[in-house]
Amino acid sequence: MNSSQRTSIRKHLEIKLAELIKRTTTRDTAVESCADDNEYASRISEQKINLALHVRETKLIRDMEETLSRVDSWDFGICEDCGEEIAIARIKANPTTRFCVYCQSRMEEDQLGRVG
């Protein structure tokens, strides 16, 4: 991976991170007073969804910040399992990835085998 690709990935991550932080900090997770029980139930359901999204987005923020800290590292873009270079198209699609397509697929199949 060359320096212009790293710069492009860094910029992309910084933009997406700023958007994600803004969205996460403005997400409403409070339940206001409600006119009736049906509205209250609806608001509680909405709150659960917002909280789940907040947890997911918080993890993604951590992943993106960690990725930003290692973009200039010599091993960025190298699969942590097999040590092969991760395809640049995969990194552009998912900059926080740590595994090549083959290793990621194998790990997911292993997890499915344990669940099923």
Side-chain angles (χ1 to χ4, degrees):
M1 177 178 311
N2 64 40
S3 63
S4 69
Q5 290 170 324
R6 288 177 190 269
T7 301
S8 173
I9 290 167
R10 177 182 296 286
K11 283 186 180 207
H12 173 75
L13 273 167
E14 288 170 346
I15 291 167
K16 292 298 179 186
L17 181 59
E19 291 170 0
L20 190 58
I21 289 171
K22 182 179 179 184
R23 185 173 57 226
T24 301
T25 56
T26 60
R27 185 176 307 284
D28 185 17
T29 56
V31 175
E32 307 282 322
S33 61
C34 302
D36 59 29
D37 288 343
N38 288 332
E39 184 181 352
Y40 180 72
S42 179
R43 295 264 178 102
I44 291 294
S45 294
E46 185 179 317
Q47 179 191 35
K48 286 181 181 181
I49 291 168
N50 282 337
L51 287 172
L53 287 170
H54 180 76
V55 168
R56 181 174 177 251
E57 289 169 343
T58 300
K59 182 191 178 312
L60 186 54
I61 288 169
R62 280 193 310 268
D63 289 348
M64 292 176 112
E65 288 173 338
E66 192 278 329
T67 300
L68 274 169
S69 73
R70 60 184 189 88
V71 164
D72 293 322
S73 174
W74 68 270
D75 62 346
F76 179 76
I78 303 296
C79 178
E80 291 184 359
D81 193 46
C82 69
E84 295 294 319
E85 190 169 335
I86 301 169
I88 191 69
R90 177 166 170 77
I91 293 173
K92 285 181 178 179
N94 181 7
T96 62
T97 191
R98 295 172 156 263
F99 303 99
C100 67
V101 171
Y102 175 77
C103 291
Q104 183 72 45
S105 296
R106 190 176 31 88
M107 286 187 291
E108 289 172 2
E109 287 173 6
D110 290 347
Q111 288 175 347
L112 286 175
R114 281 186 245 138
V115 172

